[in-house]
């Protein structure tokens, strides 16, 4: 938890990263987006976002990826905080401190997670008690993955990803994430996917029966076989070493592997905690990726960690 200055009121919200267990991408839409049929799965890699009253609107970054976070008006957490202030008729600015553990531009929705966390944190700080539909609507406006970061768990996303439905999912899964140096731009990966498809007619996307059956059964082997991502070839095209990274993890015994969202993070599923540890050690030992992290899923969506008046402890 982040400690703010003594005497200041603050709220800290913890928010998870996501991996898409399946990402089916429909044709390019007139508004520049693509219709999706995706299955989001929240995992236990978290950002902690703290808001506190301040003289000016400000974003402060901490953690291993702090230097890669935009601190200007493009920051999704700042945009989210301003939206909540507007909705609640609040005119006092906040300082937003992002303790970043989710890789930036890694395909794990780290920026979207911070947007979701700021919605929840500002709502709590100002005691607004905005309704869930209000928060969901704001989340959908902020970005395609923000609504899922509020919800967490495992859910089907449709539309451009912001429209969510629950999935009947059993079990807890053990993941290993191979994190590359340097992110991939999401619009660039979607554009590469369109380029590679050329003039081919693309059907409306639908969730696959195999994945739904795997999630109902809670069998990691079945889930490993059902992982898929239509953006994967585009990510390989823009970052060719990712293909070898995926092959290496599978050879080392992963039950399945997939590029996470628009990449470049590659997600591997292991049979259990021990399998995940073995795989993480093996990937790190051969230097396949600069950073390897383990996590479990599903994880809870954005939730308040601390909400206190710290009157000079
Ligand atoms: O909604 P978000 O800001 O996360 O989207 C970033 C970019 O990713 C969009 O501008 C668009 O280029 C691409 N995108 C897409 N179809 C989606 C989601 C994102 O083409 N369903």
């Amino acid at each position: 938890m982040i400690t703010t200055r003594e005497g200041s009121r603050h709220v800290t919200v913890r928010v998870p990263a996501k991996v898409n267990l399946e990402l089916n991408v429909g044709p390019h839409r007139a508004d520049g987006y693509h219709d999706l049929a995706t299955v989001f799965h929240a995992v236990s890699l978290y950002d902690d976002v703290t808001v506190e009253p301040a003289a000016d609107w400000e974003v402060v970054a901490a953690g291993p990826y702090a230097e890669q976070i935009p601190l200007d008006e493009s920051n999704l957490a700042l945009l989210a905080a301003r939206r909540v202030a507007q909705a609640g008729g609040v005119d006092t600015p906040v300082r937003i401190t992002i303790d970043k553990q989710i890789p930036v531009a890694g395909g794990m929705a780290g920026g979207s997670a911070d947007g979701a966390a700021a919605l929840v944190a500002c709502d709590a700080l100002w005691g607004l008690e905005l309704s869930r539909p209000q928060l969901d609507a704001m989340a959908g406006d902020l970005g395609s993955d923000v609504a899922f970061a509020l919800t967490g768990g495992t859910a089907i996303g449709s539309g451009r990803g912001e429209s969510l439905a629950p999935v009947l999912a059993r079990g807890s899964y053990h993941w290993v994430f191979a994190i590359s140096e340097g992110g991939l731009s999401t619009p660039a990966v979607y554009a590469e996917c369109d380029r590679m498809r050329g003039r081919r007619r693309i059907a409306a996307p639908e969730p696959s029966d195999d994945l739904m059956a795997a999630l109902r059964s809670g069998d990691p082997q079945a889930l490993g076989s059902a992982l898929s991502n239509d953006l994967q070839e585009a990510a390989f095209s823009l970052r060719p070493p990712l293909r070898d990274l995926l092959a290496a993890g599978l050879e080392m015994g992963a039950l399945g592997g997939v590029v996470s969202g628009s990449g470049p993070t590659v997600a591997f599923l292991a049979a259990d905690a021990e399998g995940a540890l073995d795989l993480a050690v093996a990937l790190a030992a051969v230097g396949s990726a600069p950073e390897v992290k383990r996590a479990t899923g599903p994880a809870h969506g954005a939730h308040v960690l601390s909400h206190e008046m710290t009157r000079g402890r």
Side-chain angles (χ1 to χ4, degrees):
M1 191 176 75
I2 299 162
T3 310
T4 55
R5 290 166 310 156
E6 290 207 335
S8 69
R9 198 159 59 94
H10 68 276
V11 177
T12 299
V13 168
R14 176 160 285 184
V15 64
K18 62 85 183 161
V19 56
N20 302 76
L21 305 177
E22 171 173 82
L23 181 48
N24 296 331
V25 178
H28 188 261
R29 301 192 323 201
D31 65 0
Y33 285 90
H34 297 72
D35 275 327
L36 304 180
T38 190
V39 178
F40 291 112
H41 180 72
V43 295
S44 61
L45 289 181
Y46 300 105
D47 282 356
D48 287 347
V49 175
T50 299
V51 295
E52 58 184 322
D56 275 314
W57 296 94
E58 189 189 0
V59 183
V60 179
Y65 308 107
E67 282 177 11
Q68 298 170 49
I69 302 175
L71 302 178
D72 61 12
E73 291 293 328
S74 70
N75 186 289
L76 268 187
L78 184 56
L79 290 170
R82 286 191 187 276
R83 289 295 298 269
V84 177
Q86 200 180 15
V90 174
D91 57 8
T92 45
V94 286
R95 175 181 306 110
I96 304 169
T97 304
I98 301 174
D99 185 1
K100 190 136 209 61
Q101 303 294 327
I102 306 174
V104 176
M108 301 192 77
S112 300
D114 299 341
L119 289 177
V120 173
C122 289
D123 180 53
L125 181 75
W126 294 321
L128 300 176
E129 296 186 8
L130 295 174
S131 69
R132 188 55 199 254
Q134 276 177 298
L135 289 174
D136 283 342
M138 288 185 207
D141 286 348
L142 285 166
S144 308
D145 296 334
V146 181
F148 177 70
L150 283 180
T151 305
T154 305
I156 295 183
S158 58
R160 60 187 173 84
E162 85 291 6
S163 177
L164 299 172
V167 172
L168 181 60
R170 281 199 185 86
S172 171
Y173 299 96
H174 296 267
W175 296 94
V176 176
F177 295 97
I179 298 160
S180 299
E181 214 162 303
L184 276 175
S185 143
T186 302
V189 176
Y190 274 99
E192 180 65 3
C193 176
D194 290 337
R195 191 194 67 74
M196 292 171 82
R197 285 173 165 182
R199 291 170 173 274
R200 215 154 27 99
R201 208 190 140 271
I202 305 296
E206 281 181 32
S208 78
D209 292 342
D210 283 356
L211 179 62
M212 292 302 129
L215 287 170
R216 272 196 306 275
S217 73
D219 172 13
Q221 190 91 40
L223 181 59
S225 306
L227 299 172
S228 75
N229 180 359
D230 281 353
L231 294 178
Q232 183 159 293
E233 284 300 321
F236 288 164
S237 168
L238 297 176
R239 191 72 67 81
L242 291 182
R243 193 186 292 279
D244 295 337
L245 174 57
L246 178 59
L250 295 174
E251 259 169 45
M252 288 170 189
L255 299 181
V258 72
V259 167
S260 182
S262 55
T265 302
V266 180
F268 295 105
L269 185 62
D272 49 27
E274 201 185 339
L277 181 58
D278 288 347
L279 180 59
V281 168
L283 281 166
V286 297
S288 305
E291 203 180 350
V292 179
K293 289 195 179 196
R294 282 177 293 140
T296 57
H300 290 298
H303 54 281
V304 174
L305 272 191
S306 71
H307 181 184
E308 44 192 295
M309 300 280 290
T310 51
R311 283 194 215 92
R313 276 166 290 165

